[in-house]
């Protein structure tokens, strides 16, 4: 069995601002509460390879991995995948953006499977992502809307 999640939020800000802020990986530790750092390893055209490091979990464990993102500005979609998969067999994420009358809708789709020897299974990770994504999306919304209110 594989895991699949879909979460979204509408941000009361222009599409260009939402796109620029959420695709500025150097800004991610300020947009997300879970990331301690984001180190860009390489950029080639619209493809960015980077290392994400999380804050220590409740057991003091620091999780880190390398991912790759390909941004397609014309189609308002970003596709990402983990290169260093850690406990995942695979993890693929699609970010979709849509301009709406209320602002910019940002939709995340995550498809993944946990390795058989992972400390958690697909169902646990699905629940975890579905608990955490709305929290992170709300933080991103609030931080972008704060910038949007101060941008002329």
């Amino acid at each position: 069995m594989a895991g699949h999640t879909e979460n979204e939020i509408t941000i009361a800000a222009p599409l260009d601002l939402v796109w620029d802020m959420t695709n500025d990986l150097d800004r991610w530790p300020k947009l997300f509460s879970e990331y301690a750092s984001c180190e860009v390893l390489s950029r080639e055209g619209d493809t960015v390879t980077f290392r994400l490091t999380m804050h220590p979990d409740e057991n003091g464990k620091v999780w880190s991995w390398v991912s790759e993102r390909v941004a397609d500005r014309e189609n308002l979609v970003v596709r990402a995948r983990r290169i260093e998969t850690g406990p995942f067999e695979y993890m693929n994420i699609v970010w979709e953006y849509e301009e709406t009358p209320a602002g910019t809708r940002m939709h995340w789709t995550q498809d993944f499977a946990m390795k058989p020897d992972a400390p958690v299974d697909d169902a646990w990770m699905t629940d975890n992502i579905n608990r955490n994504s709305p929290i992170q999306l709300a933080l991103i919304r609030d931080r972008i809307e704060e910038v949007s209110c101060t941008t002329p």
Side-chain angles (χ1 to χ4, degrees), residues 1-127:
M1 182 177 121
H4 174 85
T5 65
E6 294 194 39
N7 291 276
E8 69 180 47
I9 199 160
T10 297
I11 302 167
L15 174 65
D16 287 340
L17 180 64
V18 175
W19 178 271
D20 290 346
M21 286 184 71
T22 59
N23 286 290
D24 178 357
L25 300 183
D26 293 327
R27 187 187 298 246
W28 276 19
K30 294 178 181 134
L31 279 182
F32 293 83
S33 64
E34 60 192 348
Y35 300 140
S37 67
C38 181
E39 176 190 2
V40 173
L41 303 174
S42 69
R43 291 182 196 271
E44 189 172 319
D46 294 328
T47 302
V48 180
T49 304
F50 59 100
R51 174 171 296 284
L52 278 175
T53 303
M54 297 183 79
H55 294 288
D57 66 17
E58 62 276 356
N59 299 316
K61 168 94 171 133
V62 174
W63 297 92
S64 182
W65 63 90
V66 173
S67 290
E68 176 184 87
R69 284 173 61 87
V70 180
D72 180 351
R73 179 65 172 90
E74 183 178 335
N75 292 303
L76 301 175
V77 66
V78 177
R79 298 186 187 285
R81 67 181 181 91
R82 283 192 182 196
I83 295 171
E84 290 179 4
T85 58
F88 292 91
E89 282 185 32
Y90 64 90
M91 167 60 91
N92 299 314
I93 306 171
V94 177
W95 296 43
E96 296 172 289
Y97 300 78
E98 179 185 1
E99 210 163 9
T100 73
T104 303
R105 178 181 154 271
M106 188 169 61
H107 184 94
W108 291 348
T109 303
Q110 292 177 265
D111 290 300
F112 59 90
M114 304 307 296
K115 291 179 179 173
D117 62 346
V120 299
D121 63 13
D122 293 340
W124 186 96
M125 187 56 70
T126 298
D127 289 342

